[in-house]
Amino acid sequence: MPELLISTDSHVKMTHDQVKSYLPRRLHEPYDDASGAYEARMSAGVGAANRAGAKQQRTDKIAASNSAFSRDGYWDPAARLKDMDTDGVQVEVLYSEVSAFRYLSNVTGGVSEAVQAFNNAMYDFSQADPDRLIVSYQIPVHDIDLAVAEVRRVAERGAKSLQLPVFPDELGQPDYFDERYTPLFSVIEETGLPVCCHIGMKTALADLAKRDPTPNKGIMVPVTPLMTAEAFGMWIMGGVLARFPRLKLVFVEPGLAWVAWWLETVDDMVKRQGYVYPGISELPSHYFHQNVHLTFIDESLGLHRMRDVIGVENIMWSTDFPHPVTSWPHSRSIVEEQFKDIPDDERKLMVSGNATRVWNL
């Protein structure tokens, strides 16, 4: 049998028309108003330029993968399974390109219905092969009762993956250490499902993007994953993972190498510099290794030189299909090159074993 490869970060294109097909007609206009207002906000200023710049990035090694955006497998599940077969990838964890929790709370008179409609559309995509297409259901955080109900609903339908916003403050909500999230995190612990936070451009970077003189926003783009340090801190030093030790937290696409530096730094702040974090009783790195997982695509420095610091059981491989950096359709050969000289037991954990454990596969 070929080596099991599980991509822990791949993408599916979910259209507004698909979502609306699960909504009653009376909510189509409110849905359009909410999604339209969100897209207008994103397009204002530098938003459109940021997205276009990100899509223009290339890596010489896999330049041919740029055609993946136009493949039917981006939106059609049957075609997606064929693309996975071509790539030699047996399972994908899938994230919608649309951050629906940024606008679903503004669907006048039908927020709950809109949340369910979006996740129902994701569910139906997965039904082509639920064992191979692991969709991440988006859980809103503006209404905790609604969030708890939606976690229970999708869990009862066989959900394996949940997605929360990386930065709740951007949605006008408190950070995750706030007590208001206790019912939500309690029910997520109960289900055993992982919480996935896919990085995106933090709105605080809008000014940097505006000032960035490079055509592809090449100054701003590499800063984006580094902003994940804020989210690490809120979850770890804010005490969330101390209160909910069974939470499985996945940060999607944050990069690897800088995280080794971050772990050394925050531990040193406690051990040598005397920083106090009332919400935790262990070093920050303890909670990271206990609860946090990172996905990566192709990053030699972090993988080969820093995996021991980050934790082999905390690192998971991905293809990022169909984005420009994707390893599709050469994932198997790229994995061979990436993991050259890495022990087989460690390789197995990072390409499939950790994902099997985290997503209960």
Side-chain angles (χ1 to χ4, degrees):
M1 294 292 290
E3 178 183 31
L4 177 62
L5 294 184
I6 298 176
S7 170
T8 54
D9 174 28
S10 297
H11 295 269
V12 56
K13 183 178 182 180
M14 192 62 58
T15 69
H16 293 309
D17 284 341
Q18 283 175 282
V19 177
K20 287 193 296 182
S21 71
Y22 295 86
L23 278 173
R25 177 70 60 179
R26 65 178 176 81
L27 292 176
H28 285 198
E29 185 174 347
Y31 179 92
D32 288 340
D33 290 343
S35 60
Y38 162 69
E39 289 168 1
R41 291 194 303 271
M42 288 294 291
S43 296
V46 298
N50 291 340
R51 294 194 303 279
K55 289 181 180 179
Q56 290 172 22
Q57 296 176 72
R58 300 292 183 265
T59 55
D60 293 338
K61 188 175 184 180
I62 47 177
S65 68
N66 293 330
S67 62
F69 270 118
S70 62
R71 295 190 64 81
D72 290 349
Y74 191 16
W75 55 82
D76 177 77
R80 181 54 158 270
L81 291 168
K82 292 179 181 178
D83 282 343
M84 291 166 62
D85 290 341
T86 297
D87 206 22
V89 172
Q90 289 95 330
V91 181
E92 287 189 335
V93 180
L94 298 164
Y95 302 89
S96 168
E97 297 285 20
V98 176
S99 297
F101 33 55
R102 290 185 178 272
Y103 65 86
L104 292 178
S105 61
N106 296 322
V107 177
T108 304
V111 174
S112 178
E113 293 95 329
V115 169
Q116 291 187 22
F118 183 87
N119 285 333
N120 287 345
M122 293 290 286
Y123 172 84
D124 276 359
F125 186 94
S126 74
Q127 291 309 288
D129 192 333
D131 292 329
R132 299 185 67 190
L133 303 173
I134 311 300
V135 299
S136 297
Y137 295 96
Q138 294 192 12
I139 305 300
V141 295
H142 65 283
D143 181 329
I144 298 303
D145 289 341
L146 188 157
V148 168
E150 187 63 3
V151 169
R152 291 194 183 280
R153 188 184 76 90
V154 298
E156 288 172 0
R157 301 189 81 185
K160 292 186 179 296
S161 188
L162 305 174
Q163 185 179 359
L164 294 184
V166 184
F167 305 108
D169 65 300
E170 294 190 329
L171 307 178
Q173 305 304 318
D175 288 296
Y176 287 130
F177 60 78
D178 193 281
E179 291 289 341
R180 76 187 289 270
Y181 297 103
T182 294
L184 177 59
F185 296 152
S186 295
V187 75
I188 293 175
E189 268 199 331
E190 179 185 318
T191 66
L193 299 178
V195 172
C196 304
C197 296
H198 196 299
I199 70 160
M201 194 193 88
K202 195 175 192 302
T203 54
L205 291 178
D207 181 66
L208 172 58
K210 188 185 302 181
R211 293 182 286 113
D212 188 339
T214 64
N216 292 28
K217 304 300 174 186
I219 296 172
M220 181 276 296
V221 167
V223 176
T224 300
L226 304 183
M227 302 298 284
T228 315
E230 175 186 327
F232 285 170
M234 295 299 183
W235 284 93
I236 295 175
M237 283 85 95
V240 181
L241 301 180
R243 301 200 312 272
F244 300 96
R246 292 183 291 119
L247 278 181
K248 293 180 289 188
L249 193 59
V250 180
F251 281 94
V252 185
E253 242 182 285
L256 296 178
W258 71 270
V259 177
W261 168 86
W262 185 87
L263 289 168
E264 181 181 57
T265 297
V266 293
D267 277 4
D268 182 72
M269 290 166 68
V270 176
K271 293 188 294 186
R272 187 176 64 87
Q273 301 179 49
Y275 279 69
V276 176
Y277 299 114
I280 60 178
S281 58
E282 305 282 352
L283 290 174
S285 62
H286 167 83
Y287 302 98
F288 178 90
H289 291 126
Q290 173 182 270
N291 300 90
V292 178
H293 307 82
L294 312 174
T295 79
F296 79 101
I297 305 158
D298 189 352
E299 189 184 334
S300 178
L301 180 63
L303 183 62
H304 284 267
R305 299 188 183 183
M306 301 181 184
R307 67 183 185 278
D308 292 338
V309 178
I310 299 167
V312 170
E313 294 188 351
N314 302 84
I315 299 172
M316 300 185 292
W317 172 83
S318 70
T319 69
D320 200 27
F321 180 96
H323 292 173
V325 298
T326 184
S327 55
W328 185 91
H330 309 295
S331 288
R332 287 207 170 265
S333 61
I334 289 175
V335 164
E336 286 299 322
E337 178 65 24
Q338 281 180 322
F339 286 87
K340 186 169 55 180
D341 301 325
I342 290 179
D344 288 345
D345 59 335
E346 296 185 11
R347 166 177 169 153
K348 182 177 180 180
L349 284 172
M350 290 184 278
V351 301
S352 65
N354 294 332
T356 298
R357 168 175 50 84
V358 170
W359 278 277
N360 308 305
L361 302 180

